[in-house]
Amino acid sequence: MRVSVITFPGSNCDHDAYQVFSTRGHDTRMVWHKDHDLCSPDLVILPGGFSYGDYLRCGALARFSPVVKEVMAHAAKGGLVMGICNGFQILTECGLLPGTLLMNSSLSFICQHQKVRVETANSPFSKGISPGTVLDIPIAHKEGNYYIDDKGLGSLQDNDQIIFRYCDEFGRMSPDSNPNGSLDNIAGIINKQRNVLGMMPHPERSATDTVPSRDGRRIFEALESLVG
Amino acid sequence: MLKAKIFVQLKASVLDPQGKAVSNSLHSLGYTAVSETRISKYIEISFESDDRATVMQQTEEICKNLLANPNTETYHFELEQQN
């Protein structure tokens, strides 16, 4: 597949994403945030980092980068978009995904391996993964505390839009297995059209032979089974 | 010249962990009557204009489009004449 990884000023996981996709044999491009051409990708990656220094609110200023208009047009046509960590924050700020990522309930930056449970196989990003499968994918953020109002949460649940939830090693959800205070243990959601995913965990950091967990590969394999 | 003094606050329904941490510190300092603390943002924007209606409208737009996240925050502002 053709993959475009967007670099905002302050992105710091763009090269990790580039390396994972290019190593897996995909035609991968780096696209600067001021560019207007996405290079006709199948998949756009909004990477992790601290775009615009996280000033005002995480992702709030990145939303006005010229390339985001192109990303929104790509998404409107049904193109795949994956926002990881800061990319998830940007997707909520520009309205492609509902809700908001607030400061972690602990007020701390959390960097650790985290168990996440796949909730549904009904998405291009989890196709072929049995619901209930527990993946070990690192998190590294201070603003990952997912919040949405009651009506919005009900809509996410009713429309099978929650793709990943934080859990323990046995797949159980509890306050102890919720690292950041996210509502309903939400770690990743998809839009109603099921082509735009946002997730706080970093699958690109658990996808190569040199790291302890390779579970992030499951997500990339799901995409490959669909797009090639 | 007009200056907009803007307050952006978390909605009452949204938990404020920073405010809670400050409350806890105030309690440990002995201010036991403190029941709640909420942290807000205060932003000043200066305009090269004396046209109150236009500045009011632009400030409203700025708050809606950028300064406040309607999912979690509310805002209010006042305009002040600057010399």
Side-chain angles (χ1 to χ4, degrees), chain A residues 56-57 63-64, chain B residues 4 6 8 43-47 54-70 75 77:
Chain A
L56 190 64
R57 293 182 308 276
R63 165 184 148 215
F64 297 101
Chain B
I6 302 161
V8 179
I43 301 155
E44 289 185 344
I45 300 180
S46 298
F47 289 84
T54 305
V55 168
M56 181 85 82
Q57 187 201 330
Q58 289 190 359
T59 306
E60 187 75 37
E61 284 173 17
I62 287 167
C63 290
K64 263 192 193 146
N65 294 335
L66 179 59
L67 297 185
N69 180 332
Y75 62 86
F77 62 87

Side-chain angles (χ1 to χ4, degrees), chain A residues 56-57 60-61 63-64 93 99-100 102-105 107 147, chain B residues 10 13-14 17-18 21 41 65-69 71-73:
Chain A
L56 190 64
R57 293 182 308 276
L61 302 182
R63 165 184 148 215
F64 297 101
E93 281 288 341
T100 306
L102 297 171
M103 193 179 290
N104 296 343
S105 53
L107 300 178
Y147 174 82
Chain B
L10 278 177
S13 56
V14 178
Q18 284 189 97
K41 289 175 192 156
N65 294 335
L66 179 59
L67 297 185
N69 180 332
N71 291 325
T72 52
E73 294 170 328

